[in-house]
């Protein structure tokens, strides 16, 4: 009995051992200011990810970006009913259960057992017919000397954390997708309105030209050209209507509802976003972007898998025992005939022809892959942020130019109509001015939608949360 106690004590001492290296974080080179010239000396700072807090599970905040009541309602509905969010939530539950399953491997397993035998070959002897009945419990416990089970438990825990952050990443993407689709839907409605007004204007002009033709003032070519322009305007109406309905269906899908009709509550001009994009720091991505955090958790999980693979190369020790009752007569089964056994087992690899070593190499290669994937995720995040920042700056410039163009085109359309009514110019000038005015209005609506959608994507690429203006 003393030997058993000594063995258990030794196991308790050695359980502190753990194969593999603790996770040391990743050294990243992060840009400090403007982009460096290729081949020049970059202005960078080296950070280690272990020194940076992970805030990717922070509360979702989008109201500072999208100050629109209807959009706010759509986003809240999507976060609650979108099926992809539900799937991601179930994956978190699955990961939690997997962690519990893995943690249970650290504890002794107890199982009930019972057996009944009858024959003339019992206890390895041939003789008269006998019976044997055993009822008891069996205990088996693998002592985690080298941390194989603890490493696997760590890997499962990091997978759970990655799933939780993955849900947050999906929610941020969903918020951005709903906002972009909403802005596209408003654009389609405003394009439809512009097309309808343009059709009404051209129809009115067409009726005037017909009256003037009947009086002999203008030629048949003016009537034909006017009718062509009217037909072009009429063709734009169903195109933009179809676009608006399809975007309504997309919105319905994103919020987890059957196709439905939405009522427009604001115009693109009414929606303002006051965000200071220059307050963003590249280093903030490492702590805020969920996909970066999830990629690092995957790297940490793979580091634990390397430790587990190394532990498989070391001897495994397990304890086992049996406790119960035994009798050769079923009716006399009682505690008066106790049965017990306790023992241990040591098993270590001797000649496995390099299998265990290669298994470690495979896990280490996977760790390098996870590292490169993490670094690639960071590089892609930096690229996406720079893309959206330059889009916001240039779209603001384009909108200013397009606004001036629209005002001039509408003025030219009005003046050319007056000149044509006075017989000063041909109808070709009227046709061209109406076309330019129509194109200018559509272009301005498109640019305003593009700017709002870029802000929505900027919210996504910086990892969600507000970047308030100063």
């Amino acid at each position: 009995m003393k030997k058993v106690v000594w063995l258990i004590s030794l196991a308790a001492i050695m359980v502190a051992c753990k194969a593999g290296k603790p996770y040391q974080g990743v050294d990243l080179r992060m840009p400090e200011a403007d982009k460096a010239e290729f081949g020049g000396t970059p202005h960078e700072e080296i950070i280690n990810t272990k020194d940076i807090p992970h805030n990717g599970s922070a509360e979702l905040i989008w109201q500072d970006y999208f100050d629109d009541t209807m959009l706010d309602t759509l986003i809240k509905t999507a976060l609650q009913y979108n099926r992809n969010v539900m799937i991601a939530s179930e994956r978190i539950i699955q990961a939690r259960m997997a962690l519990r399953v893995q943690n249970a491997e650290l504890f002794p397993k107890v199982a009930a057992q019972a057996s009944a035998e009858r024959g003339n070959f019992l206890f390895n002897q041939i003789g008269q017919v006998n019976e044997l009945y055993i009822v008891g419990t069996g205990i088996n416990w693998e002592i985690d000397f080298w941390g194989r089970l603890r490493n696997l438990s760590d890997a499962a825990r990091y997978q759970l954390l990655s799933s939780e952050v993955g849900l947050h990443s999906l929610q941020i993407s969903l918020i951005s997708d709903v906002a972009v689709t909403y802005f596209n839907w408003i654009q389609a409605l405003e394009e439809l309105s512009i097309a309808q007004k343009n059709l009404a204007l051209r129809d009115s002009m067409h009726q005037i030209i017909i009256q003037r033709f009947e009086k002999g003032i203008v030629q048949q070519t003016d009537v034909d050209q006017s009718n062509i322009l009217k037909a072009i305007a009429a063709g734009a109406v169903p195109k933009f209507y179809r676009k608006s309905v399809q975007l309504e269906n997309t919105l319905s899908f994103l919020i987890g509802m059957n196709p439905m009709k939405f009522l427009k509550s604001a115009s693109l001009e009414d929606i303002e976003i006051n965000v200071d994009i220059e307050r963003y720091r590249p280093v903030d991505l490492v702590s805020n972007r969920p996909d970066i955090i999830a990629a690092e958790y995957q790297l940490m999980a793979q580091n634990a898998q390397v430790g587990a693979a190394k532990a498989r190369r070391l001897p495994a020790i397990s304890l086992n025992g049996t406790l119960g009752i035994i009798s050769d007569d079923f009716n006399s089964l009682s505690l008066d005939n106790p049965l017990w056994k306790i023992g241990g087992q040591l098993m270590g690899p001797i000649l496995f022809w390099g299998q265990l070593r290669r298994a470690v190499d495979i896990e280490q290669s996977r760790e390098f892959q996870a590292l490169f994937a993490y670094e690639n995720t960071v590089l892609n995040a930096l690229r996406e942020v720079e893309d959206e920042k330059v889009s916001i700056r240039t779209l603001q410039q384009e909108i200013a130019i397009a606004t001036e163009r629209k005002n001039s085109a509408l003025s030219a359309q009005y003046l050319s109509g007056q000149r044509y009514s006075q017989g000063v110019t041909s109808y070709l000038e009227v046709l061209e001015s109406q076309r330019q005015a129509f194109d200018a209005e559509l272009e301005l609506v498109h640019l305003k939608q593009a700017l709002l959608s870029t802000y929505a994507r900027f919210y996504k690429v910086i990892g969600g949360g507000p970047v308030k203006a100063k």
Side-chain angles (χ1 to χ4, degrees):
M1 191 65 181
K2 291 182 179 180
K3 293 181 179 180
V4 174
V5 174
W6 179 85
L7 183 61
I8 295 176
S9 300
L10 180 62
I13 294 173
M14 296 187 66
V15 78
C17 301
K18 191 176 182 182
K21 296 181 180 179
Y23 180 71
Q24 300 297 323
V26 180
D27 290 329
L28 294 174
R29 294 181 178 273
M30 302 299 292
E32 290 184 338
D34 294 334
K35 292 189 293 185
E37 182 178 348
F38 181 73
T41 302
H43 300 284
E44 299 175 332
E45 62 174 330
I46 299 178
I47 63 171
N48 187 277
T49 55
K50 287 193 70 175
D51 302 326
I52 299 178
H54 291 166
N55 302 321
S57 59
E59 182 181 358
L60 293 169
I61 301 174
W62 66 85
Q63 291 82 356
D64 290 335
Y65 280 74
F66 319 125
D67 187 15
D68 183 276
T69 303
M70 181 176 178
L71 178 56
D72 182 69
T73 302
L74 289 172
I75 291 174
K76 290 178 179 177
T77 306
L79 291 174
Q80 184 175 1
Y81 295 108
N82 181 270
R83 298 307 189 272
N84 288 330
V85 171
M86 293 180 179
I87 292 172
S89 299
E90 289 298 321
R91 286 175 180 160
I92 292 177
I93 296 175
Q94 179 180 333
R96 286 175 181 165
M97 297 303 105
L99 177 59
R100 292 183 182 181
V101 169
Q102 185 57 56
N103 286 341
E105 293 291 331
L106 293 167
F107 302 100
K109 293 182 175 61
V110 181
Q113 61 184 41
S115 65
E117 298 180 32
R118 176 181 172 83
N120 66 344
F121 183 70
L122 296 178
F123 305 110
N124 295 324
Q125 295 181 359
I126 298 177
Q128 64 179 3
V129 175
N130 293 302
E131 297 178 350
L132 181 65
Y133 301 94
I134 299 176
V135 178
T137 58
I139 301 175
N140 185 68
W141 183 21
E142 178 182 348
I143 307 299
D144 192 28
F145 277 4
W146 314 114
R148 183 183 72 86
L149 299 178
R150 280 171 289 155
N151 274 308
L152 292 176
S153 179
D154 289 343
R157 179 165 56 88
Y158 292 134
Q159 290 289 351
L160 169 60
L161 293 173
S162 179
S163 297
E164 291 176 341
V165 177
L167 172 61
H168 190 70
S169 179
L170 179 61
Q171 290 172 325
I172 291 174
S173 296
L174 179 62
I175 291 171
S176 176
D177 290 345
V178 170
V180 170
T181 306
Y182 176 73
F183 297 143
N184 275 297
W185 172 65
I186 295 179
Q187 175 195 354
L189 292 180
E190 295 189 2
E191 287 172 335
L192 176 61
S193 177
I194 292 171
Q196 290 172 334
K197 288 189 296 184
N198 188 57
L199 174 60
L201 174 64
R202 293 183 182 184
D203 180 67
S204 176
M205 178 63 72
H206 182 62
Q207 297 304 321
I208 293 174
I209 291 175
I210 290 176
Q211 294 175 3
R212 299 186 69 183
F213 170 74
E214 291 174 348
K215 295 179 181 179
I217 301 176
V218 299
Q219 300 177 353
Q220 179 67 39
T221 55
D222 286 2
V223 177
D224 294 337
Q225 290 170 342
S226 173
N227 192 48
I228 291 172
L229 204 62
K230 174 187 172 183
I232 293 174
V237 173
K239 179 181 73 174
F240 292 130
Y241 174 75
R242 177 175 65 251
K243 179 181 177 182
S244 67
V245 173
Q246 290 174 342
L247 286 167
E248 279 182 338
N249 296 337
T250 303
L251 269 178
S252 300
F253 171 76
L254 289 174
I255 67 174
M257 301 293 181
N258 293 326
M260 59 182 60
K261 185 173 181 59
F262 300 99
L263 298 178
K264 178 184 173 186
S265 61
S267 66
L268 294 176
E269 190 71 31
D270 297 332
I271 303 174
E272 295 183 0
I273 300 181
N274 188 23
V275 174
D276 181 13
I277 62 174
E278 302 304 331
R279 293 187 66 182
Y280 148 81
R281 296 186 309 151
V283 70
D284 294 336
L285 289 178
V286 181
S287 59
N288 290 333
R289 256 187 74 141
D291 61 335
I292 293 179
I293 298 173
E296 186 171 16
Y297 281 139
Q298 292 290 338
L299 175 59
M300 296 164 74
Q302 189 53 45
N303 178 73
Q305 290 286 1
V306 172
K310 289 181 177 180
R312 292 188 188 99
R313 302 184 66 199
L314 301 171
I317 298 178
S318 60
L319 301 177
N320 56 76
T322 301
L323 179 63
I325 55 177
I326 183 172
S327 176
D328 58 2
D329 184 358
F330 182 80
N331 295 322
S332 63
L333 280 173
S334 68
L335 297 178
D336 294 334
N337 300 308
L339 169 69
W340 67 275
K341 179 182 71 173
I342 188 169
Q345 182 179 18
L346 172 65
M347 180 176 292
I350 296 179
L351 187 59
F352 277 55
W353 308 104
Q355 284 182 326
L356 300 179
R357 174 65 262 179
R358 299 291 81 78
V360 174
D361 293 340
I362 290 172
E363 296 300 336
Q364 287 178 331
S365 177
R366 289 173 178 166
E367 184 178 18
F368 282 123
Q369 294 174 51
L371 171 62
F372 299 147
Y374 173 74
E375 293 175 336
N376 205 43
T377 302
V378 174
L379 290 174
N380 184 62
L382 292 170
R383 176 193 65 82
E384 289 181 339
V385 171
E386 289 301 317
D387 284 350
E388 301 307 334
K389 285 172 66 176
V390 72
S391 293
I392 289 173
R393 297 192 195 102
T394 53
L395 282 169
Q396 289 172 336
Q397 296 170 357
E398 288 184 80
I399 287 175
I401 296 171
T403 301
E404 184 177 351
R405 173 193 171 189
K406 171 194 169 184
N407 294 335
S408 297
L410 291 176
S411 176
Q413 176 182 256
Y414 172 76
L415 293 176
S416 63
Q418 294 292 344
R419 285 161 54 84
Y420 178 75
S421 298
Q422 297 170 6
V424 179
T425 186
S426 69
Y427 189 61
L428 290 176
E429 179 182 311
V430 177
L431 292 176
E432 179 62 18
S433 64
Q434 287 183 340
R435 184 190 65 79
Q436 291 188 6
F438 182 59
D439 291 344
E441 286 188 285
L442 291 181
E443 177 66 13
L444 183 58
V445 168
H446 168 72
L447 290 173
K448 288 179 178 178
Q449 175 275 131
L451 179 60
L452 292 172
S453 296
T454 303
Y455 273 115
R457 287 190 292 269
F458 185 74
Y459 166 85
K460 172 185 175 181
V461 298
I462 65 170
V467 181
K468 297 181 180 179
K470 297 179 180 178

